[in-house]
Amino acid sequence: MEYVIYSHHHPDHVAGGQVFADTAIFVGHENTAARLESGLPSNAARSDANGNGLLERSEAAGGYLAGFDSMDTDGDGSLSGSEINAGTQPLDVTYTEQMMLTLGDSTVELHHPSAAHSDDTTVVLFPNERAAFTVDFLHARRFPGTLSGYTVDEYEAALATVDALDFDILVPGHGNAGTKPDVRAFLGLLRDLEADVTAGIAEGLDRETLQETILLADYSDWLLYDQRRANIVGEMYDSLTAAD
């Protein structure tokens, strides 16, 4: 038996699976199935500034902007969820918390952490290889592009699911591979970011000043530090001030 496992519903992780439609069973979390059936993907919906349930060209960024013309099949200058997911094979099997798949003499474990980056993540554990594929809510010595609107407490809860697993090799969805200590190192980045921004807000500093002055120097050798540091400082400021 062959399987295609969806890590979560974002198009850069599920598009193109139709090539395996005749040979594999598609497996993912129950929230992934629901997300694929309803509206824009969550990372596109955050950019839907006018709230009309469509992603306009002026709202698109990153991969959505780069692939806009190919996805806009009706040529109306906006993307619907069905257009974005047109190349995505629906799931055949879903699970809620945990699932085990058998591959010959080996087993693969699926684990669903609590929401961070997305609410439908599947962590894939390969016990024999002592490797965990953790996808996009966890990076190994790499700055995240976005916190996706989730708090550090929510990330900590999701990371705890990974930290409880028995593995040596960490395989995120992007960037470096790593080892198990990188799970706690990534949480350390988020906690330090939160503490520094909280202290800056208490001093009355504005968003732009914090982006310029919070350098997170202990993490300056991580991938994409120069490109992403200011953005996540700004996101943390927005998150902490929105809660006030």
Side-chain angles (χ1 to χ4, degrees):
M1 186 63 65
E2 297 179 345
Y3 299 95
V4 172
I5 301 169
Y6 284 169
S7 61
H8 61 309
H9 72 286
H10 292 169
D12 59 327
H13 292 272
V14 295
Q18 288 177 339
V19 298
F20 301 109
D22 295 333
T23 59
I25 293 174
F26 286 69
V27 183
H29 190 260
E30 60 189 10
N31 289 351
T32 302
R35 288 286 195 176
L36 291 175
E37 293 171 359
S38 62
L40 293 173
S42 62
N43 60 349
R46 290 195 303 273
S47 300
D48 180 18
N50 60 16
N52 67 349
L54 300 170
L55 189 66
E56 319 291 346
R57 186 185 297 275
S58 60
E59 297 169 331
Y64 290 113
L65 182 58
F68 196 95
D69 290 332
S70 63
M71 288 187 283
D72 185 18
T73 52
D74 61 10
D76 68 350
S78 63
L79 301 179
S80 65
S82 59
E83 285 179 311
I84 291 172
N85 293 321
T88 301
Q89 181 71 13
L91 290 172
D92 299 308
V93 176
T94 63
Y95 76 99
T96 301
E97 295 299 331
Q98 297 181 20
M99 184 176 183
M100 182 176 293
L101 301 175
T102 301
L103 302 172
D105 295 330
S106 300
T107 58
V108 174
E109 299 177 14
L110 311 185
H111 296 265
H112 173 58
S114 56
H117 181 78
S118 183
D119 66 355
D120 64 325
T121 296
T122 291
V123 171
V124 185
L125 179 68
F126 300 87
N128 288 359
E129 293 76 15
R130 298 191 57 77
F133 176 59
T134 58
V135 208
D136 286 2
F137 71 98
L138 170 57
H139 300 263
R141 304 179 309 284
R142 179 179 186 265
F143 269 64
T146 176
L147 301 177
S148 304
Y150 290 93
T151 67
V152 177
D153 285 349
E154 288 171 319
Y155 271 94
E156 182 170 18
L159 293 170
T161 297
V162 179
D163 200 40
L165 300 177
D166 186 17
F167 68 94
D168 299 316
I169 303 167
L170 174 67
V171 186
H174 302 275
N176 294 321
T179 59
K180 192 167 187 179
D182 288 312
V183 179
R184 297 189 182 184
F186 185 69
L187 178 59
L189 166 67
L190 299 182
R191 284 297 183 200
D192 287 347
L193 170 66
E194 180 182 51
D196 288 353
V197 175
T198 298
I201 292 171
E203 293 176 17
L205 302 179
D206 62 22
R207 188 181 196 273
E208 290 71 23
T209 300
L210 293 178
Q211 287 180 301
E212 293 173 359
T213 59
I214 293 179
L215 301 181
L216 298 167
D218 289 345
Y219 307 94
S220 61
D221 60 342
W222 284 25
L223 285 178
L224 301 177
Y225 169 84
D226 292 330
Q227 298 91 328
R228 292 179 169 182
R229 177 198 56 78
N231 182 67
I232 65 167
V233 170
E235 283 196 19
M236 182 60 69
Y237 176 90
D238 295 341
S239 174
L240 294 174
T241 55
D244 291 341

